[in-house]
Amino acid sequence: MKIAILGGGISGLSVGWLLRQSGWSSTIFEHQSSCGGLARSFRWHGFHCDIAAHRFYTTNQATLKTFSSLVPLVRNIRQSKIFIDGKWITDPVNPLELAIKFFPNPGLSFIWDYFTRESTSGVAAASFDSFALQHYGQSLTEFFFRPYTEKLFGISANEISTTWATQKIRVSGILDMIKRNSKTYFRHFYYPKEGGYGAFCQRFYQDIQKDVRLSTSVKALHVVGNQIVAITYETEDGERTEEFDAVVSTLPLTVFMQLLNISIRLKFQPVSLVYLLLDQPQVSQNHWIYFAHKNFLMNRVSEFKNFSDYGIPQNKTVLCAEMTMDYPREQIIERVIQDLDNVNFIRKGRVIDALLLDEPFGYPIYNRQYEEQLTVAKAALEGYSNLYFTGRNAVFTHMDIDENFESALNLRDTLVQKFQR
Ligand SMILES: Cc1cc2nc3c(=O)[nH]c(=O)nc-3n(C[C@H](O)[C@H](O)[C@H](O)COP(=O)(O)OP(=O)(O)OC[C@H]3O[C@@H](n4cnc5c(N)ncnc54)[C@H](O)[C@@H]3O)c2cc1C
């Protein structure tokens, strides 16, 4: 039984690793020279830098046990703030705190608009915007929910699906915002003690190194009847075609569909990351700082040292700023430094080096058409009897690492059951 796994991010590595645990081998194709995809880390000035800082949180004890057995973890109490209209507020956003901090104006409007918002019981919201208006009223929507979401996706909140609102808005209403134990309201999280978040992927890689082909790009799929029978891939030695019995894709869905020459109207929001090395021991104690409004280029800033400070320089620190707004590339670093200096978060003169990275497949965009388009894609692909999908960008669903792993676990069981001799 020959199984090809396309993509060596955490999903592809998880499937390969889990298959190995069941005594099966696979071949993982990864076009980058290192594995890990969005969950990789790289070393820079002695620091382990993630693709934006990642955190590990799960409510599933079995998943936690598996990840704890992979690498030593530290347990952190989440520390996070939001900078909005000149003030620092707590994250997750608490509408009462907003009302108090911005009293009397617009604080009173938050309360007035909330209690006088139109009654819409039984009416399903058509978009993110109408969901926020229905649940929080006009002022809170205009002040917080709308700007941050539009900044993240680069489209109007009217064009964003309600699914994003139901999954990601981190308050459930002014009177009942205390759902503190859900995944969205996590109070603590885990992080590898050493090696950055990418330590998980590195550990998977160590265990199944023989199954992984790095710097190998999948270029074409060969179909006979209802099966994908072979894969053409490119390495530095040229192109080769190889036959397989089953194919697992973890590639971004749009990339995979292109390999089959099927076009689909789904989009990913690219994310740019600016890493700043500062000549000071620490900038703040926070893990994340959110910048809600569009007058700041970055959406979020993290400080790696606060996730784990084991084995890294003590007299310096590295920040990572995430951006999804359009901006001239050559000006991004300067603008981020200026924005952070303007709010006295850092001093410009303390920055001793900077680095810019781009990830083209940052966030699946949940526009109002995405569910319909996903149904079209599924219909086009479900006819292939030996093709399987797993992972956040492959199934176009915002999933965290733990969810990717659990999905890989289900897929391993399906494969073993189906192909067992
Ligand atoms: C900014 C940001 C912050 C996040 N924060 C968190 C967090 O705090 N906690 C958390 O749990 N999750 C977080 N996530 C989500 C998490 O990163 C993803 O769920 C996870 O990394 C997805 O893994 P994957 O293997 O499914 O996909 P990917 O990581 O995208 O892997 C796909 C792989 O396919 C490879 N590939 C693409 N095309 C080809 C080709 N033609 N041939 C061969 N290989 C190819 C790519 O190089 C890549 O390695 C975050 C994501 C982002 C973008």
Side-chain angles (χ1 to χ4, degrees):
M1 164 60 47
K2 278 188 78 185
I3 301 174
I5 300 174
L6 317 187
I10 193 130
S11 297
L13 292 171
S14 299
V15 179
W17 187 80
L18 288 163
L19 281 170
R20 267 274 166 216
Q21 308 272 304
S22 305
W24 292 47
S25 65
S26 61
T27 306
I28 301 178
F29 295 98
E30 169 53 53
H31 79 161
Q32 297 201 35
S33 56
S34 63
C35 55
L38 291 170
R40 71 186 186 278
S41 298
F42 62 94
R43 218 164 154 81
W44 190 60
H45 292 290
F47 289 84
H48 302 286
C49 302
D50 302 345
I51 302 305
H54 276 55
R55 44 76 190 160
F56 183 81
Y57 179 79
T58 178
T59 49
N60 180 328
Q61 288 311 305
T63 306
L64 179 58
K65 202 170 159 204
T66 304
F67 277 76
S68 314
S69 71
L70 291 173
V71 292
L73 300 179
V74 290
R75 186 179 186 273
N76 289 317
I77 301 298
R78 169 194 188 149
Q79 299 221 49
S80 179
K81 291 250 178 302
I82 303 171
F83 188 78
I84 188 160
D85 230 20
K87 294 192 164 56
W88 295 98
I89 59 162
T90 318
D91 171 52
V93 66
N94 176 329
L96 277 181
E97 184 191 351
L98 274 181
I100 293 163
K101 283 250 167 88
F102 292 93
F103 185 85
N105 193 24
L108 283 177
S109 320
F110 298 153
I111 298 170
W112 176 259
D113 287 358
Y114 175 76
F115 285 106
T116 59
R117 72 197 190 281
E118 233 174 280
S119 166
T120 48
S121 58
V123 182
S127 66
F128 176 93
D129 211 52
S130 46
F131 181 99
L133 288 167
Q134 274 180 16
H135 286 76
Y136 307 106
Q138 186 154 349
S139 303
L140 271 174
T141 300
E142 284 173 0
F143 188 71
F144 181 71
F145 297 112
R146 188 183 292 160
Y148 187 75
T149 308
E150 290 187 341
K151 188 175 171 184
L152 182 68
F153 284 125
I155 54 175
S156 152
N158 270 321
E159 284 304 313
I160 297 167
S161 161
T162 44
T163 310
W164 184 252
T166 52
Q167 286 179 4
K168 293 290 173 176
I169 283 188
R170 285 197 293 223
V171 286
S172 52
I174 280 187
L175 296 177
D176 62 340
M177 55 196 169
I178 312 293
K179 286 194 177 158
R180 299 283 173 193
N181 57 356
S182 74
K183 209 161 184 285
T184 328
Y185 282 96
F186 69 96
R187 288 192 141 194
H188 69 270
F189 66 89
Y190 295 91
Y191 192 81
K193 187 174 170 191
E194 262 190 291
Y197 205 78
F200 292 131
C201 284
Q202 280 309 315
R203 174 58 208 275
F204 285 141
Y205 178 62
Q206 261 172 32
D207 288 0
I208 54 165
Q209 211 159 336
K210 278 200 309 226
D211 295 344
V212 184
R213 298 190 196 164
L214 297 175
S215 304
T216 305
S217 204
V218 176
K219 291 290 176 193
L221 303 170
H222 303 274
V223 176
V224 174
N226 67 348
Q227 301 229 322
I228 295 181
V229 293
I231 291 170
T232 298
Y233 53 87
E234 188 178 61
T235 65
E236 55 189 22
D237 300 328
E239 271 194 8
R240 246 197 92 188
T241 299
E242 194 173 330
E243 290 185 356
F244 285 94
D245 300 305
V247 175
V248 173
S249 176
T250 73
L251 308 186
L253 186 55
T254 47
V255 172
F256 184 82
M257 302 286 283
Q258 270 166 17
L259 292 173
L260 287 173
N261 291 320
I262 307 172
S263 70
I264 192 82
R265 278 183 286 122
L266 288 169
K267 276 193 177 160
F268 288 89
Q269 177 72 321
V271 59
S272 299
L273 304 149
V274 168
Y275 299 84
L276 300 176
L277 176 71
L278 287 109
D279 188 14
Q280 65 191 84
Q282 193 177 33
V283 169
S284 89
Q285 291 191 334
N286 290 294
H287 299 106
W288 297 274
I289 303 276
Y290 290 81
F291 291 86
H293 283 173
K294 286 184 192 158
N295 50 338
F296 294 99
L297 187 58
M298 58 280 174
N299 304 342
R300 192 163 71 155
V301 172
S302 2
E303 187 164 3
F304 294 117
K305 180 168 266 181
N306 300 338
F307 290 73
S308 172
D309 66 354
Y310 190 82
I312 55 169
Q314 295 304 306
N315 55 346
K316 296 190 178 64
T317 193
V318 171
L319 301 179
C320 176
E322 297 163 51
M323 276 88 38
T324 47
M325 283 206 293
D326 277 340
Y327 203 70
R329 196 169 188 283
E330 62 287 358
Q331 293 169 28
I332 289 181
I333 290 178
E334 199 182 319
R335 167 74 193 270
V336 166
I337 295 173
Q338 191 59 57
D339 279 356
L340 292 173
D341 188 281
N342 287 347
V343 295
N344 297 325
F345 189 63
I346 63 165
R347 291 275 65 112
K348 254 196 227 185
R350 293 279 199 172
V351 179
I352 46 180
D353 199 5
L355 173 74
L356 175 61
L357 281 191
D358 299 304
E359 282 295 329
F361 300 99
Y363 296 93
I365 299 183
Y366 281 7
N367 61 26
R368 283 171 64 184
Q369 293 77 41
Y370 97 92
E371 273 147 330
E372 191 189 305
Q373 285 299 307
L374 211 44
T375 310
V376 173
K378 277 182 189 155
L381 297 170
E382 68 191 1
Y384 296 99
S385 64
N386 65 340
L387 174 60
Y388 304 86
F389 293 91
T390 191
R392 165 187 166 114
N393 288 348
V395 299
F396 206 82
T397 302
H398 286 263
M399 295 203 290
D400 284 338
I401 300 299
D402 54 305
E403 295 160 317
N404 289 319
F405 183 78
E406 285 156 20
S407 160
L409 196 59
N410 290 335
L411 179 58
R412 187 271 310 262
D413 293 347
T414 305
L415 291 169
V416 169
Q417 224 169 24
K418 183 164 172 188
F419 295 106
Q420 223 160 22
R421 265 151 290 168

